[in-house]
Amino acid sequence: MPSVVKINVLTVPQEMREQLEKRFANRAGMVESSDGFEWFELLRPIEGTDRYLVYTRWRSEEDFQRWQESQAFQAGHAQAAAQAQSQGESQRQGHPHGQGHGHGHGGPAASGSELWSFEVVETAAPKQG
């Protein structure tokens, strides 16, 4: 049975890129210990698009679904939302112009998102010595 790849496509305005990357850097990291988890990458766009790709690979669709329904997934997303909220409040309190030009407003860093699903048909790795 082939592995399953899930790519979450996040549309991120330029002014929110740093915030998004910080949120991923500070994420709880619980996905790494999830049964069936195989790989994670956050891909930053270089040119021509404002869409980040969140790449995860799973042993099976069922493993991915279990992760999404898990307490760890819910806790990780709740933690990210709480961090965003507290960062937004502290920035607003210290900034005379309210929301600091859109930074840290407590909402999502992405303005849109869609989920792409794939099966791994073929893989390759560097040849060893």
Side-chain angles (χ1 to χ4, degrees), residues 57-92:
R57 191 175 71 211
W58 299 85
R59 179 179 54 207
S60 70
E61 177 68 27
E62 292 73 26
D63 290 318
F64 172 74
Q65 294 297 334
R66 263 196 304 278
W67 158 244
Q68 276 206 308
E69 294 162 7
S70 72
Q71 290 183 332
F73 176 87
Q74 304 296 335
H77 285 74
Q79 179 183 354
Q83 284 175 347
Q85 187 67 35
S86 66
Q87 287 171 352
E89 287 171 6
S90 64
Q91 284 187 358
R92 279 195 295 276

Side-chain angles (χ1 to χ4, degrees), residues 27-35 37 39-40 56 58 67 72:
R27 67 188 165 71
M30 292 181 236
V31 69
E32 286 90 333
S33 58
S34 295
D35 188 42
F37 169 79
W39 199 259
F40 162 86
T56 57
W58 299 85
W67 158 244

